[in-house]
Amino acid sequence: MSTFLGMPAAREGAGPSPQAAPGTLSGIGRPEDPLHWGASFPDAAKAALENGQLRRNLGKATSTIRTKRARVVGEVPDWEALRDAGSAVKTDVLARLPELLEELERNVTARGGVVHWARDAVEANRIVADLVRAKGADEVVKVKSMATQEIGLNEALAEEGIAAVETDLAELIVQLADDMPSHILVPAIHRNRTEIRDIFLERMADAPPDLTDVPRELAMAARSHLRRKFLSAKVAISGANFAVADTGTLAVVESEGNGRMCLTLPETLITVMGIEKLIPTFDDLEVFLQLLPRSSTGERMNPYTSMWTGVTPGDGPQEFHLVLLDNGRTKVLADEAGRSALHCIRCSACLNVCPVYERVGGHAYGSVYPGPIGAILTPQLTGEKSDLPYASTLCGACYEVCPVKIDIPSILVELRAREVSLSGASPETADRVWKAAMKAASFAMADGGRFRRAARVPRLLRAISRNGVIRRLPFPGSLWTRSRDLMEPPQQTFHDWWAEREERR
Amino acid sequence: MRLALAATCIGDAMFPQAPRAVVTLLERLGHEVVFPPAQACCGQMHVNTGYLAEAVPVVQNHVRTFAPVADGEWDAVVVPSGSCTGSIRHQQAMVLERAGLRAEARTATAVAERTYELSELLVDVLGVTDVGAWFPHRVTYHPTCHSLRMLGVGDKPERLLRAVEGLELAPLAEAEGCCGFGGTFSLKNSDTSTAMLADKVANVVDTGAEVVTAGDWSCLMHIGGGLSRGGTGVRPMHLAEILASTRESPVVPGAGQAVAR
Ligand code: SF4
């Protein structure tokens, strides 16, 4: 699902984005592994927090869509029942994924499509590149697709001399700026419209030279640029929001109409889809087509819902290929605790309500999957040690809005436990310090008598407090006192106070 | 009723005025309060940071200490903290279960079923919203994330505050936004935590309130630390401290003094 939510204007007098280097380029470029790149989360977050323009852009965009989502969700009397239904369907899908995938394959094939299976990014990219080359095309149009972003398809095609043109407006902006997406649904959410105008002028060859930053003008410039691409493309590449096992139907929902163009005009259509995107029956669409638009864009219904089943002579693409992508998903499926991350329908509601995402933006997560869902999905897909499970206060806002009820906070805790075990023999000082501190605290907190004695220790800090507060502590206490005072510990703990009271009685 | 108090580790060691206020309040309402001295901590910090093995002995100690509530020795356990109550209710049994301690996990569930956060205990169990308090100050209420979402206390704290004589309740903008504490998050992601805190502090200051209150001293320690650093003069106080205040024995904002004797 993709839509353009409107671009905040740059504040008057605000210079070019400090992140842009040089001009409108992001300076991020295209990383080797789209699932895992860049600095550690705390470091990347620190850099992002220093970018005032980015914080204003994000704050405005996320609060606008939060309000909109809350309003339209509030209109649905059976919203909680719908969430339960969505979650139940997905649980069922994961419980019998192999069987349903085979059913999908049978039905797609029976209706004239061709199904390919890809274990990882390399295999998937290879399959797509071969298919495009077989058609003799050197340019393809694309509907915005998380799966192809995840595998770095555009870069892989470029290496084969094939240009992939993103046709979603926000995705086009990201592509032109040689940037990475920073949001699942609104990949250019970190950009304001002045930046977008500059990007178009610099990087889009056929942009009108007198282009202003009025949203309509920007949209029209992109429209005429893309129109030429749609009309000449022989091959299109899409993702899929849903794949219906019992009919072999694929569905893409979007808001701009670019998807509809890609899915109907070219001769060949290649769809790359994560294997978890299945739903068992056509009727199940009823649930998700209600849940998705309200959760993602705050719309009652998405403007374009395109469905196709195999090929139909004389109508639409005459050749259809479906690439079923694993890329770590069966590993996630095997993990009982983290499995429900595969319920995700990529609505992005969790990003928009996340107080951490709102402050630091998507790039800090160093993955095409940012925000709360990224914090649980990315480390599971890569299987690598990660600091993303700690990029949350466990405030629970993500769980509250998730249309398929993924208990993100509980999974974060599970993944933290995994991180701790991965860092068991870690030589890193920080890991060792944490471990030692947690062990010591565990010893002190596992016995009332020991705790009573340990709880008296903080009062030694009274020696350095002034006017009831402590303003400066040595490391690691400095991580607290750099921005927050610490209130002076009490003269007497509660344990001691109670004992004294009992004695007096 | 006979009520056992879980003071919480942070309340015990850093902010004893909150559990003391709980004692004052409940005794004033005619209940007997018991403090089992073997208690230490609920284990939340260990669980939430991913140290599940280290959490086991801590959770075991909590469950053993409060197990008598499951046998009817006390009517309920009261906790002046939404997040600790949340951990007791949603994490303790899981930790023991994972460690293969089946029987203890069952006890944990039984204890959790009789454990209440303060506003839940007052409104749902004891059936009071007007506790006879007097607190003539302008107050704003921050609904902490765990009270709000993990427990779903709803508007119980606000109902209790509205019934306090002399108290003026100031609405807080973006009240449901996290303050950025998140336990060890405040250290591991210190910069992000600080950015979240800055927004919370600005919203609290905008209310013009003299006091900011909540059901958790951990979040209040964070917000209070920011308010203090900013030299704002706004005082953090636990909900229990406000509810314990009466005309005869008023609690002064920021004094953190003993109330029960
Ligand atoms: S985790 Fe839930 S809220 Fe987040 S993108 Fe996926 S479906 Fe939407």
Side-chain angles (χ1 to χ4, degrees), chain A residues 69 83 184 291-292 295-296 340-353 370-374 376-377 397-408:
Chain A
R69 190 209 77 96
R83 287 177 79 209
I184 294 178
L291 286 174
L292 183 54
S295 300
S296 57
S340 63
L342 296 179
H343 287 196
C344 178
I345 56 173
R346 311 278 188 265
C347 72
S348 78
C350 58
L351 278 66
N352 300 325
V353 298
I373 181 62
I376 59 169
L377 195 57
C398 48
Y399 184 25
E400 192 175 52
V401 298
C402 177
V404 284
K405 287 189 129 172
I406 303 173
D407 184 354
I408 296 175

Side-chain angles (χ1 to χ4, degrees), chain A residues 427-455:
Chain A
E428 277 178 51
T429 322
D431 285 340
R432 301 231 302 260
V433 169
W434 272 109
K435 181 103 188 161
M438 288 290 164
K439 273 208 142 98
S442 167
F443 180 76
M445 289 171 162
D447 178 277
R450 282 202 295 266
F451 180 74
R452 186 175 166 185
R453 288 186 293 279

Side-chain angles (χ1 to χ4, degrees), chain B residues 15 21 49 83 89 94-95 105 125 136 161 165 189 204 209 239 241 248:
Chain B
F15 306 100
T49 315
S83 68
R89 228 174 258 174
M94 174 272 285
V95 168
V125 183
L161 287 168
E165 200 191 332
N189 283 285
V204 168
L239 179 66
E241 294 176 71
E248 297 70 45

